[in-house]
Amino acid sequence: MAHSSPLVTVAQLQDWLQQEPASVLVLDASFDLADAQAGRQAFRQAHLPGAAHIDLDMHLSSQPNGSNGRHPLPDFPALAETLARLGADNTTRIVAYDRQGAMYAARAWWLLRRAGHAQAFVLDGGLSAWQTAGLPVEDGEAAPRKPGSFRLRPALVEIVDYETLRPLVEAGTAPLVVDARAPDRFRGENETLDRVGGHIPGARNRFFRDNLDAQGRFLEPAALRAAFETVLEGRTAAEAVMQCGSGVTACHNLLALEVAGLSGARLYPGSWSEWSSRPGSPVATGTD
């Protein structure tokens, strides 16, 4: 039976792994922006049984060039090769998780959707939820799996690029831009990652961590729907563009929208790190 939500619970994932382990690929997307090796090291210390590690810098991004953002979209043929090497084919249920409230797992989920893969999920609550349930973990390197035949298919999600978005912003005709960064960075305060502080003029702020409860699980669909409908102010999700600092936590808002049943929003992959690096890009500060 098809699983309609992009989230899976610990019990659901445990059932999948018990019933059809060969049809499920679990990806540990743990990462640390302050230490690029920390995610892999944490994986070696503890990960879900049979999981493989997938890295934000190595697998889920391409090389930045100074004007395309800090985490440009990856080379998708290379990503497809990685997924095939890890054992995925085009029917595999791929479940991503992390240790950071789905901050990086959501990026993996969105990229799988961009690669045309509908059977993409995020483990709600991540590693913490698995361990809280008293389930076992493994250490060391990933166990080898038989390579799969994963291939790219038509994208299931859409993007908007800088060249398209900037003239619309300048003309005052842009779709609603929703910024997933913390409120202080949105206002242009305490900016430590990018050279310029502030936000895209006309943007609204929806801090991605507000999608989670105190246990690090996503809020109920009705609560997420109410929160995002407040942000959207009568617009549909398809009339909105999600962005953040570098196109990572924006995927968290895209995932939350999907959980809420509000599909169709686009991602601006370069996000603030690209916008603020381009000469002459308009900048706003303060509240939305």
Side-chain angles (χ1 to χ4, degrees):
M1 181 180 295
H3 185 73
S4 59
S5 174
L7 299 177
V8 296
T9 66
V10 166
Q12 288 165 337
L13 179 55
Q14 186 183 28
D15 182 61
W16 289 357
L17 291 172
Q18 289 175 343
Q19 298 297 324
E20 297 181 282
S23 69
V24 182
L25 173 62
V26 180
L27 298 176
D28 185 323
S30 300
F31 192 78
D32 186 340
L33 292 173
D35 180 358
Q37 301 302 315
R40 183 166 293 279
Q41 291 169 356
F43 174 84
R44 292 191 186 106
Q45 292 170 0
H47 56 263
L48 266 64
H53 186 254
I54 195 160
D55 187 87
L56 175 64
D57 283 347
M58 292 178 59
H59 306 117
L60 305 181
S61 307
S62 59
Q63 187 67 31
N65 62 21
S67 64
N68 62 348
R70 282 182 279 110
H71 294 105
L73 294 183
D75 176 78
F76 279 90
L79 177 61
E81 289 180 8
T82 296
L83 292 167
R85 174 175 53 80
L86 295 177
D89 60 31
N90 289 128
T91 62
T92 302
R93 286 171 164 169
I94 305 180
V95 182
Y97 76 90
D98 59 31
R99 295 159 171 77
Q100 293 84 18
M103 179 176 177
Y104 304 107
R107 167 82 167 203
W109 166 82
W110 186 89
L111 289 173
L112 287 165
R113 302 274 294 168
R114 183 68 180 171
H117 194 67
Q119 294 294 303
F121 307 97
V122 169
L123 175 61
D124 197 15
L127 179 66
S128 176
W130 185 268
Q131 292 179 307
T132 298
L135 296 173
V137 295
E138 297 176 343
D139 58 15
E141 298 294 341
R145 285 175 58 125
K146 179 182 177 181
S149 57
F150 189 95
R151 58 179 177 82
L152 300 177
R153 285 152 292 164
L156 301 175
V157 288
E158 297 183 14
I159 66 169
V160 61
D161 59 20
Y162 176 87
E163 288 73 21
T164 300
L165 186 59
R166 176 173 170 175
L168 295 175
V169 169
E170 292 177 328
T173 58
L176 177 66
V177 176
V178 180
D179 191 323
R181 293 176 299 162
D184 58 342
R185 290 187 64 208
F186 177 82
R187 294 191 299 266
E189 305 164 3
N190 305 317
E191 181 57 67
T192 60
L193 295 174
D194 296 305
R195 289 174 286 182
V196 177
H199 59 265
I200 296 172
R204 298 293 305 276
N205 187 210
R206 169 64 182 180
F207 185 31
F208 79 97
R209 292 198 182 278
D210 290 341
N211 298 326
L212 305 175
D213 64 18
Q215 288 71 47
R217 294 178 173 86
F218 278 81
L219 301 176
E220 291 296 320
L224 289 171
R225 174 180 280 272
F228 275 99
E229 286 179 341
T230 298
V231 175
L232 293 172
E233 293 184 329
R235 301 173 183 85
T236 66
E239 297 174 283
V241 171
M242 301 294 124
Q243 58 101 177
C244 55
S246 64
V248 176
T249 58
C251 297
H252 202 281
N253 277 350
L254 286 162
L255 176 58
L257 282 165
E258 197 73 22
V259 173
L262 301 171
S263 301
R266 291 173 288 169
L267 174 68
Y268 169 31
S271 288
W272 183 251
S273 56
E274 177 182 51
W275 187 272
S276 61
S277 72
R278 298 290 189 98
S281 297
V283 173
T285 56
T287 64
D288 53 10

